[in-house]
Amino acid sequence: MPESSPEEAAQPGTAPGHRRSSRDQRRALIGTGIGNALEWYDWHVYGIFAPFFAKQFFNPDNELSAVLATLAIFAVGFGMRPIGAFVFGRLADRKGRRLAMVISIGLGSAGSLAIGLAPTYASIGAAASLVLLLARLTQGLAHGGELPSSQTYLAETAPPERRGRWTSAIYVSGACGMVIATMLGVGLAALYGTEGLEAWGWRVPFILGGLFGIYALFLRRRLTETHAFEEEHTSHSTAPQRPSVLRGIWQNRAAAGRVIGLTAGFTVTYQAWTVAAPTYAISVTKLDSTAVLLAEVVALLIFIAVLPLCGSLSDRIGRRPNVLIFGLGMAVLAYPLLLLARSGGVWQLGLAMTIALLFIAMIASVAPAVFAELFPTHVRTTGTGVPYAIAVALFGGTTPYLQTWLASHNAQGYFTAYNIALLLVSALVILTSPETRAKPLE
């Protein structure tokens, strides 16, 4: 996580003359970080443990069918994200970033607890599948508002000249959540084995996620609102009519289109290498689950280490070079990395994931800053969140299912071609976008 010296802490935040104490800065980083980590933890826990709990919610007679059905609900949960982005984005743009962050983390925690305590297919039949679906829809709604609210809050809190480094904390915390989820998988697999995980061990990470979410809720209640929101809210409080959120999105439709274009290649690549690849290795190729999860932990730790460096680089040379390195680099390496990952060993899979995540770090470190810099304050959360959630639902949420299904039919190359096409779209979008480094958030 980025740290600030006393001199940096006294520098302007998002408006001339506004000063934020070191204590407030630390609270902002911790408050946004722990909630964002839990969102990523929730989604990653689902992806990691899907092979173990699939038969608990669906007919256990067909293992592959149960896994595919579980991944389909993973995608359906993503489908709620655009609705959540609009609901919580509108709340954040009207009532404040902090309130939206508090409610979203509370709702997401409830969904996690519901999965951890849900009855199984053996006890209530198909109704178990319905419970899983409803819990994932609840989490999708909450998490649709979590990321845009927290990244907007952090972008508006950060000093303009350090915004890239600061907002890289969004993915640092998210990746930390993934590491915790993965280590839980490793520990539980080593302690109880596959049979223990399938019987009841899969419940532990969901229950823990719900409990930590309740703790994060109380932390976020202590945060102060951003100066950018307070200033904008005050300036419009005496106006005859506040600007419409929907009208604001329409007026900034070019920026919304850029968010979708940049997110498409990013989310598919990220989901492919952090969720779908380990799931496929465990459930289809039958590699040792503990070894696969440890390989992912190593890749994620390297990812966490380089994120702030990539964010700082964008503060020096601009956001566009970072995105271009990601899009063009991954397009060139897509097929070689696929061949490396499918060559049969755990270490080859781990190396492929590490290389992919090094390139992903280039865009992950700057995406929150770029998105915030594209929109004005009164529509920043909604304008960022809705198109981002649409892109994630259409492209990211379907990735684990699509990749697993194509791979089971020996057609993985088609998925890679699809990924490359989206990467080139993202590169084209950033080439036609303005440079926004250190732009004042007004």
Side-chain angles (χ1 to χ4, degrees), residues 150-367:
S150 59
Q151 71 182 16
T152 297
Y153 184 91
L154 197 56
E156 291 179 348
T157 302
E161 71 281 359
R162 297 283 190 272
R163 192 177 296 129
R165 185 182 179 202
W166 269 60
T167 57
S168 71
I170 292 292
Y171 285 90
V172 168
S173 62
C176 285
M178 293 173 64
V179 168
I180 294 171
T182 306
M183 290 304 296
L184 267 176
V186 172
L188 290 171
L191 189 59
Y192 298 110
T194 301
E195 291 185 3
L197 285 178
E198 290 179 346
W200 64 273
W202 60 269
R203 295 182 183 274
V204 174
F206 290 104
I207 294 174
L208 288 177
L211 295 177
F212 282 121
I214 295 172
Y215 173 68
L217 185 153
F218 287 101
L219 283 182
R220 285 187 166 184
R221 292 183 63 188
R222 301 176 61 192
L223 296 178
T224 57
E225 190 52 76
T226 69
H227 179 75
F229 173 80
E230 289 181 336
E231 186 176 63
E232 190 276 336
H233 187 72
T234 301
S235 67
H236 285 287
S237 61
T238 57
Q241 184 177 3
R242 285 180 60 84
S244 164
V245 172
L246 288 175
R247 180 178 298 176
I249 295 177
W250 176 251
Q251 290 172 345
N252 293 273
R253 57 190 179 276
R258 289 189 175 102
V259 172
I260 292 175
L262 291 173
T263 303
F266 174 26
T267 188
V268 168
T269 306
Y270 190 86
Q271 292 292 332
W273 287 104
T274 62
V275 176
T279 299
Y280 175 85
I282 294 171
S283 62
V284 179
T285 62
K286 303 299 182 182
L287 290 179
D288 179 71
S289 60
T290 300
V292 169
L293 295 177
L294 283 174
E296 184 177 19
V297 166
V298 173
L300 286 171
L301 290 175
I302 295 172
F303 178 63
I304 290 168
V306 301
L307 275 167
L309 302 178
C310 295
S312 296
L313 179 65
S314 78
D315 287 327
R316 291 178 176 272
I317 66 175
R319 320 296 191 208
R320 296 173 71 191
N322 276 44
V323 180
L324 283 174
I325 290 171
F326 158 74
L328 298 179
M330 280 303 301
V332 170
L333 292 176
Y335 277 108
L337 289 179
L338 172 64
L339 293 176
L340 177 61
R342 294 288 184 265
S343 58
V346 172
W347 75 265
Q348 291 95 331
L349 173 67
L351 179 60
M353 286 193 291
T354 300
I355 295 171
L357 282 169
L358 287 175
F359 280 91
I360 291 169
M362 295 300 292
I363 188 171
S365 61
V366 301

